[in-house]
Amino acid sequence: MNKALIAILAVVGLLLLAGLGAFGWYFGIRNDLVGREENVNSTWSQVQNVYQRRADLIPNLVKTVQAYAGHEQETLVGVTEARSKVNNINVASVANDPARMEQFMGAQGELSSALSRLMVVVERYPDLKANENFRDLQVQLEGTENRITVERMRYNEAAQAFNTRIRQFPASIVAGMSGFSRKAYFQAQAGAEKTPEVNFGR
């Protein structure tokens, strides 16, 4: 009787250990995925910050250009409208939706194109190019464009690490059970192989 009880207790103990092991395995992988997703979220926040920084510079830029080139209304309105379109996009779930990421990239691309057209206008106004306020905005915009490139790259690296992990076995099982899904990437747009030129003819 004692031997049978001992055998039963041993089996129960082994089952408990196995259950605890599986429990630990599941939550170990899940915690790793949570950490990787938080890294994606953090880098995405930085992307939003630098794009917002660019958008925040535009009203002062337009105002400064308008003081010297007020009759260039079509170009100025184009920049303002492109900025408005960017600001109307809800960026909260962009990283989780490739279609929304494409929409976000399209709007940002339109703003970059509008700024490029503004640069052509600036070339015709030497006094504007010499204006101290304009030159300060120019430096800030150049730095922001460079930062956008850096932060997009960091985001893509974090997204790639996360996406790779949720496809690997056995993490793919945990990801499926816990509702983790792949993150969207920034893709290079046609003609956007390098950082937009924003030197305003310095």
Side-chain angles (χ1 to χ4, degrees):
M1 184 68 177
N2 287 338
K3 289 183 178 181
L5 182 59
I6 290 171
I8 291 171
L9 290 174
V11 170
V12 170
L14 289 172
L15 291 173
L16 285 173
L17 286 173
L20 289 173
F23 186 81
W25 167 85
Y26 173 85
F27 281 99
I29 292 177
R30 190 178 190 285
N31 287 341
D32 175 61
L33 294 178
V34 168
R36 289 172 186 265
E37 187 170 53
E38 284 302 310
N39 187 40
V40 173
N41 293 339
S42 175
T43 55
W44 173 244
S45 292
Q46 286 302 108
V47 169
Q48 292 179 62
N49 288 341
V50 291
Y51 271 122
Q52 186 59 52
R53 172 63 177 157
R54 179 171 76 166
D56 290 345
L57 289 170
I58 288 174
N60 283 339
L61 180 65
V62 168
K63 184 178 179 181
T64 302
V65 173
Q66 196 166 31
Y68 289 83
H71 59 284
E72 303 280 0
Q73 282 300 308
E74 183 178 351
T75 303
L76 294 168
V77 169
V79 172
T80 302
E81 288 179 349
R83 176 185 181 271
S84 178
K85 187 173 181 180
V86 163
N87 286 344
N88 286 335
I89 294 176
N90 182 354
V91 297
S93 61
V94 167
N96 297 315
D97 187 340
R100 296 196 59 169
M101 176 65 83
E102 187 173 344
Q103 179 191 17
F104 177 81
M105 289 174 56
Q108 294 293 351
E110 287 180 25
L111 181 53
S112 293
S113 295
L115 286 171
S116 294
R117 290 190 293 274
L118 184 62
M119 294 172 211
V120 173
V121 168
V122 167
E123 284 298 314
R124 298 195 285 258
Y125 299 89
D127 290 344
L128 170 58
K129 288 170 34 175
N131 177 272
E132 183 177 348
N133 185 46
F134 176 81
R135 292 174 70 84
D136 180 58
L137 288 168
Q138 169 191 358
V139 169
Q140 292 183 61
L141 188 58
E142 287 175 351
T144 301
E145 291 288 354
N146 290 332
R147 197 68 204 163
I148 285 170
T149 300
V150 171
E151 296 300 342
R152 279 174 47 144
M153 181 181 67
R154 290 183 62 229
Y155 166 80
N156 272 356
E157 289 172 350
Q160 181 181 35
F162 176 81
N163 290 344
T164 300
R165 182 62 172 148
I166 65 171
R167 291 181 60 197
Q168 294 172 332
F169 181 83
S172 57
I173 297 173
V174 177
M177 294 171 63
S178 303
F180 291 100
S181 58
R182 73 181 300 276
K183 304 300 180 182
Y185 293 112
F186 279 103
Q187 304 290 342
Q189 295 174 304
E193 292 80 10
K194 56 183 180 179
T195 304
E197 183 65 47
V198 291
N199 64 21
F200 295 97
R202 273 198 304 182

